[in-house]
Amino acid sequence: MNDDNRKKVTPNQGSSQRHDGLFGPVSHWIADHPNLWEFILFNVLSNVSTITRFIVAWVGTAVFVSALGLTTPFSFLLFNYTTPGSNGNGGFLTFLAAEVLAQAVNFVVQMKWVFKSDSAFADAAWKYAVLAVLIVVVNLVLPGYVTALCMRWGMNSAIAATVASVVNTLLAVVVSYPLLKFWIMPKRHNAQP
């Protein structure tokens, strides 16, 4: 085979540069489907904040509940930590710390790694804070209604809770992805190749 034939790049490859090596086909696919790749990154890298949330929840429970014994029942607005097993003040502080740190991590991950936004930090941060509060409130309120509806339809509590979690997750993606992409973290300038 002639070396000249192997190095030719045909116009229908979708990219002006050739992607060689083990990840060549993947790199080529990414170059041909940047919006789909961005959506995949959005979903996969959102798990970085989920991992943060779990770690902070474990540490917070160990510190606030087990070590400090902050288990006095607590209730404020939508937050109800008065039932047995809710861990009272310690449960609330754990939830609050976990959610704040998870959202801070997610903000950086989405802005820098997923959307590669050149928006001003201050401009994006307040918008993201509004979105995060909205999602947290919906995630607190909606599951009760979805679970009750599913149980009226004859589902057991485990399946109803699972359906509620799926609805929450899908709603968060459907709302947050376009808001992040076009309002909170848009690319202000065209990226140079």
Side-chain angles (χ1 to χ4, degrees):
M1 181 187 284
N2 185 337
D3 282 341
D4 292 334
N5 289 337
R6 278 187 283 163
K7 297 194 183 215
K8 285 185 180 177
V9 176
T10 58
N12 64 356
Q13 285 181 316
S15 176
S16 60
Q17 66 181 13
R18 183 179 170 142
H19 303 283
D20 291 324
L22 178 62
F23 295 107
V26 173
S27 297
H28 185 88
W29 184 89
I30 291 169
D32 287 347
H33 305 90
N35 290 327
L36 183 55
W37 176 244
E38 181 182 76
F39 186 70
I40 291 168
L41 278 178
F42 168 79
N43 284 289
V44 171
L45 292 180
S46 290
N47 289 311
V48 173
S49 69
T50 301
I51 292 166
T52 302
R53 188 177 290 108
F54 280 127
I55 291 170
V56 175
W58 295 330
V59 171
T61 301
V63 172
F64 296 129
V65 177
S66 299
L68 298 176
L70 300 176
T71 57
T72 303
F74 174 80
S75 181
F76 178 71
L77 298 174
L78 297 172
F79 305 101
N80 183 13
Y81 290 81
T82 59
T83 60
S86 67
N87 295 325
N89 285 332
F92 174 74
L93 291 172
T94 296
F95 163 77
L96 185 62
E99 199 56 42
V100 167
L101 288 173
Q103 292 302 330
V105 166
N106 198 47
F107 175 78
V108 173
V109 166
Q110 297 300 336
M111 187 166 188
K112 299 301 179 188
W113 293 353
V114 175
F115 297 106
K116 298 176 178 68
S117 177
D118 55 1
S119 295
F121 177 86
D123 186 44
W126 76 265
K127 294 175 185 175
Y128 184 83
V130 169
L131 175 64
V133 167
L134 173 71
I135 288 173
V136 168
V137 169
V138 167
N139 283 345
L140 287 171
V141 174
L142 189 61
Y145 293 106
V146 173
T147 302
L149 177 65
C150 289
M151 291 181 79
R152 277 196 306 271
W153 288 347
M155 296 178 197
N156 67 34
S157 60
I159 293 174
T162 302
V163 170
S165 292
V166 169
V167 168
N168 261 7
T169 301
L170 290 175
L171 185 61
V173 169
V174 167
V175 169
S176 64
Y177 181 77
L179 286 176
L180 287 168
K181 181 175 178 77
F182 299 112
W183 181 55
I184 299 172
M185 301 175 179
K187 291 180 184 163
R188 303 262 185 242
H189 304 96
N190 290 334
Q192 298 298 323

